[in-house]
Amino acid sequence: MKIAFVGKGGSGKTTLASLFLRHLAAESPAPALLALDADINQHLAAALGAPDGLPLPTLGAHLALIKDYLRGDNPRVLSAADMVKTTPPGRGSRLVRVDEDNPVYDACVRVVEGVRLAVTGPFAESDLGVACYHSKVGAVELLLNHMVDGPGEYCVVDMTAGADSFASGLFTRFDVTFLVCEPTVRSVGVYRQYLDYARDFGVRVAVVGNKISDDEDLAFLRERVGDDLLTWVGRSAHVRATERGEVRPIGDLEPRNRDALRAMRSLVDGVDKDWPRYQRQAVEFHLRNAAAWASGRAGRDLAEQVDPDYVPGPVPIG
């Protein structure tokens, strides 16, 4: 399954994403995991327990490799340079699995505390004042468009804060979107905005309450979020230790909070894949981008990259 963590900045989405990943990694048998840090702040590695200064290659720095590999022998994509972030797969494209060996993963994925992780990368000095972060997140969108995750495989993405996810079709690339929500008016406001934007796209959103101190906090969320509230995580000494740089074993997490992670996995495991809709939405947003800017930049109509009636999965990958 493909899973996103979204929410207001500071709501704890990176913390919840790391706890969920570490919970899955500790299960027996451990499922296949791939974590992608697509947040501008790039804190997922540290939240997973990476030591300070651990060098991590970035997806943004390997975009040419990613495009060249995924393009494969697709005759509708004339060159790697012709690929844009929304280019959908077609016959001849290379598709990737969550747990496999390929040149992209070799270049970009590293293991952090038992979790395979790739990061988009922070702003470089050359980006300041001239580039937006969505140019880096485009690598994640390309990977997800070409990913055929199978049973027992989880790709978990820590997304940009707030409604920034809607700057592209990336928000439609997930089977479940966990929206992390604090018991505050501003955090609930982001939840309502997210639902409003996602309403027409069949995005499955489940709210995970975070930083719940007492019954009043819980009542506040239940009143404003209703049935979308899946579960909640209370104030945690375990999490506070992580924020101080002391990453404790996931087995030491408070039992109630560990139960919340189990509820999240249970929801994910009960979701059915809809590959035709997945490809249909990829094509829809590619056509939007082609008309808005991509065809003009390429000097040809990139709508021609769409392979009619093609559906990427589930298929065996050679």
Side-chain angles (χ1 to χ4, degrees):
M1 307 300 286
K2 300 181 181 76
I3 303 153
F5 281 80
V6 302
K8 182 183 73 66
S11 63
K13 63 182 182 60
T14 299
T15 298
L16 264 294
S18 67
L19 289 175
F20 186 67
L21 283 159
R22 292 174 61 218
H23 169 72
L24 292 176
E27 296 283 82
S28 182
L33 297 177
L34 178 64
L36 302 176
D37 191 347
D39 186 5
I40 190 172
N41 293 313
Q42 298 285 280
H43 291 324
L44 185 57
L48 287 170
D52 290 340
L54 176 70
L56 289 171
T58 68
L59 294 168
H62 291 85
L63 188 56
L65 166 67
I66 293 169
K67 289 181 176 182
D68 188 60
Y69 182 76
L70 296 179
R71 171 180 170 247
D73 297 320
N74 186 340
R76 295 177 176 274
V77 183
L78 302 186
S79 68
D82 232 15
M83 291 187 79
V84 294
K85 63 181 181 179
T86 56
T87 296
R91 278 171 279 257
S93 298
R94 285 194 180 98
L95 305 178
V96 297
R97 297 291 293 261
V98 169
D99 188 16
E100 69 173 12
D101 294 323
N102 63 55
V104 173
Y105 290 178
D106 290 344
C108 302
V109 174
R110 298 294 181 268
V111 177
V112 176
E113 295 296 317
V115 175
R116 297 165 71 242
L117 170 68
V119 303
T120 53
F123 271 124
E125 185 175 349
S126 58
D127 297 326
L128 299 179
V130 297
C132 74
Y133 196 67
H134 303 117
S135 62
K136 298 181 183 297
V137 176
V140 174
E141 189 166 356
L142 269 173
L143 274 177
L144 295 183
N145 276 346
H146 291 75
M147 183 178 291
V148 283
D149 41 312
E153 298 180 342
Y154 301 81
C155 179
V156 177
V157 183
D158 183 17
M159 295 282 285
T160 52
D164 283 355
S165 308
F166 293 94
S168 72
L170 184 57
F171 73 97
T172 67
R173 302 296 79 197
F174 303 103
D175 301 293
V176 175
T177 295
F178 287 123
L179 196 151
V180 181
C181 192
E182 301 168 274
T184 67
V185 170
R186 286 195 300 168
S187 197
V188 169
V190 169
Y191 152 76
R192 289 174 175 164
Q193 184 183 44
Y194 205 98
L195 253 62
D196 187 52
Y197 288 151
R199 179 175 294 113
D200 296 330
F201 296 94
V203 176
R204 182 181 285 101
V205 176
V207 174
V208 178
N210 193 29
K211 305 177 186 177
I212 305 299
S213 296
D214 51 33
D215 290 343
E216 288 188 7
D217 282 348
L218 189 55
F220 176 89
L221 274 187
R222 279 177 167 158
E223 179 183 351
R224 287 158 176 80
V225 173
D227 292 341
D228 286 337
L229 182 62
L230 171 69
T231 187
W232 61 91
V233 172
R235 296 283 181 177
S236 169
H238 185 280
V239 170
R240 292 294 293 165
T242 301
E243 292 171 347
R244 295 192 299 267
E246 178 192 345
V247 179
R248 298 174 178 174
I250 191 66
D252 293 347
L253 184 66
E254 297 84 359
R256 172 64 190 84
N257 291 336
R258 192 74 184 273
D259 286 344
L261 301 177
R262 293 188 179 98
M264 293 162 66
R265 182 180 184 180
S266 180
L267 172 68
V268 169
D269 288 347
V271 171
D272 291 327
K273 303 288 287 190
D274 189 342
W275 288 109
R277 186 179 75 176
Y278 191 77
Q279 179 72 355
R280 192 165 58 246
Q281 289 179 330
V283 168
E284 175 185 350
F285 280 96
H286 179 65
L287 294 177
R288 289 188 185 191
N289 280 266
W293 62 273
S295 293
R297 192 184 74 176
R300 74 180 191 89
D301 185 6
L302 293 190
E304 296 173 358
Q305 291 181 336
V306 174
D307 188 347
D309 303 320
Y310 175 80
V311 177
V315 296
I317 305 300

